[in-house]
Amino acid sequence: MKKYFPMLIAGFGAAVLSVIPILKGFSCCLLIPFASVMSLFLDIRVNKNLNRISLSKAILFGFLTGLFATIFIVKFDLIITFVAKTNDFVESLPQSEIIINQMNLGSFTEEPMKLMKSMADEIRTKGFSSLYAIMIFLSNFITNSIFGIIGGLVGMGIFNKKIGHFTE
Amino acid sequence: MLKMLFITFSIVWFAGILIPMLLNENQIDYYYFLKMLYSPVCHQNPEKSFFYNNFQLPVCARCFGIYLGLIIAIIGVQFNLRNKISLRFLSLSLLPMAIDVALYQLKIYTYNKIVSAFTGITFGSILFLFIFESITESVMEKNK
């Protein structure tokens, strides 16, 4: 279990930072790769692991950091939504509807719009929508795991250079 | 194998960004599908994105630059243009982008798509070369 701590902590940290309004915009592209690099750093420090980082380990660390970050991001989002009974999705829906209607896409958008409206209604009344939860989990999972792996590969390059420098 | 997978994925990803350039108004469904596909990785702000034939590219100018830099680096790697990328060089490549973002956030100057794209190209290409080098080193070590 101890070996998963670095990923868990880094993922949690990234999720906490991604709730902060300005930092939210950098969530996928900066915070998650940075969290992956940090998880590799923590592994070196906590587990006193001074071996060169293998490719599979870098990918695994990146992927799991992305996964843990996704779990916490979704958790935080759902809790905030439940308390506030609103979120960015609900707030921006009327604006999105106007834009979509202006595009004159016909019947193509009717069903997705109905679904989105029912999700927004559920959030406004109950503070929770299962469809919304699934939607944000999937979109966060795909993005965070990809960017997490990229961060893991960058971290592998950084720390292998450093470890190589020390062992030379 | 993994290197090829990484390169193929990068090329397909970048090709997807360019698809709106080939579309016409009757193929708007494909366009919205593409936009939706790229929406988790970019804010897609119209004011910060390039347009072609009235179609907004599915990523902003900076992201477009990063991915274009990635493709330039892939081409460079194919022509054996490989250099050891140091950590300092990687950090330096991030600097123009960081300065651009900071100046814009501090409202010192207005957003410029061309500048954003160029800072993206610089960072994207160096980042790819750094990742590619670390993968190559790791694979070589495994095969020893």
Side-chain angles (χ1 to χ4, degrees):
Chain A
M1 189 63 202
K2 197 183 165 190
K3 65 179 178 179
Y4 295 108
F5 273 166
M7 299 160 249
L8 201 69
I9 292 165
F12 179 77
V16 171
L17 289 175
S18 72
V19 179
I20 300 167
I22 299 167
L23 290 175
K24 210 176 186 178
F26 301 107
S27 172
C28 73
C29 324
L30 279 178
L31 291 177
I32 304 297
F34 183 72
S36 293
V37 175
M38 281 310 292
S39 72
L40 285 168
F41 174 73
L42 286 173
D43 181 59
I44 293 168
R45 294 299 292 265
V46 174
N47 297 331
K48 304 264 185 280
N49 199 346
L50 279 171
N51 295 324
R52 282 178 73 86
I53 298 161
S54 66
L55 189 61
S56 52
K57 184 180 172 180
I59 292 173
L60 181 75
F61 264 64
F63 175 77
L64 286 179
T65 305
L67 177 69
F68 287 135
T70 303
I71 292 168
F72 288 118
I73 287 170
V74 172
K75 242 182 189 175
F76 292 153
D77 192 318
L78 293 180
I79 291 169
I80 293 168
T81 303
F82 185 74
V83 173
K85 299 261 190 296
T86 185
N87 58 22
D88 289 348
F89 165 73
V90 176
E91 297 290 323
S92 63
L93 191 62
Q95 194 65 31
S96 311
E97 197 180 356
I98 293 167
I99 295 168
I100 289 168
N101 286 339
Q102 280 172 350
M103 286 166 188
N104 283 326
L105 296 174
S107 58
F108 179 70
T109 56
E110 274 174 23
E111 282 304 312
M113 254 344 274
K114 264 187 208 168
L115 263 177
M116 283 198 277
K117 276 182 184 169
S118 72
M119 278 194 303
D121 286 341
E122 268 187 285
I123 289 169
R124 273 192 217 102
T125 50
K126 295 183 222 160
F128 177 79
S129 160
S130 49
L131 197 61
Y132 173 75
I134 294 167
M135 200 177 80
I136 58 162
F137 180 81
L138 285 179
S139 88
N140 273 293
F141 173 68
I142 293 166
T143 322
N144 292 348
S145 52
I146 292 172
F147 279 92
I149 290 171
I150 291 172
L153 293 174
V154 173
M156 176 180 78
I158 293 171
F159 296 120
N160 279 351
K161 273 190 203 298
K162 291 225 180 258
I163 291 166
H165 183 74
F166 282 120
T167 50
E168 263 169 21
Chain B
M1 174 67 184
L2 193 86
K3 276 196 290 184
M4 282 315 294
L5 206 73
F6 186 59
I7 289 172
T8 311
F9 178 75
S10 307
I11 292 170
V12 171
W13 186 257
F14 186 69
I17 295 169
L18 298 180
I19 284 177
M21 291 182 169
L22 307 169
L23 298 177
N24 58 45
E25 279 169 15
N26 299 325
Q27 294 164 315
I28 203 151
D29 299 356
Y30 299 115
Y31 172 67
Y32 284 106
F33 174 72
L34 267 174
K35 259 197 103 175
M36 190 193 72
L37 198 71
Y38 286 89
S39 64
V41 294
C42 182
H43 53 72
Q44 301 179 327
N45 186 338
E47 288 168 8
K48 294 179 180 177
S49 307
F50 290 119
F51 279 77
Y52 185 86
N53 244 352
N54 289 332
F55 282 112
Q56 179 195 339
L57 295 191
V59 291
C60 70
R62 197 183 310 282
C63 291
F64 177 78
I66 292 172
Y67 298 126
L68 181 62
L70 203 144
I71 296 300
I72 291 169
I74 287 174
I75 295 167
V77 165
Q78 297 311 309
F79 286 102
N80 280 328
L81 289 170
R82 287 175 209 189
N83 279 315
K84 289 258 177 198
I85 306 290
S86 65
L87 276 176
R88 193 172 294 171
F89 195 51
L90 181 71
S91 314
L92 276 177
S93 73
L94 187 64
L95 208 62
M97 194 192 280
I99 292 170
D100 183 39
V101 172
L103 290 178
Y104 170 70
Q105 291 292 340
L106 294 170
K107 296 190 169 69
I108 292 173
Y109 85 127
T110 50
Y111 188 86
N112 187 313
K113 290 178 199 177
I114 306 288
V115 172
S116 289
F118 269 101
T119 58
I121 289 171
T122 314
F123 180 63
S125 52
I126 304 294
L127 180 73
F128 173 79
L129 287 173
F130 184 80
I131 291 175
F132 196 81
E133 188 200 323
S134 61
I135 291 176
T136 309
E137 272 180 12
S138 184
V139 170
M140 275 168 63
E141 198 159 295
K142 202 180 172 187
N143 292 340
K144 263 183 192 173

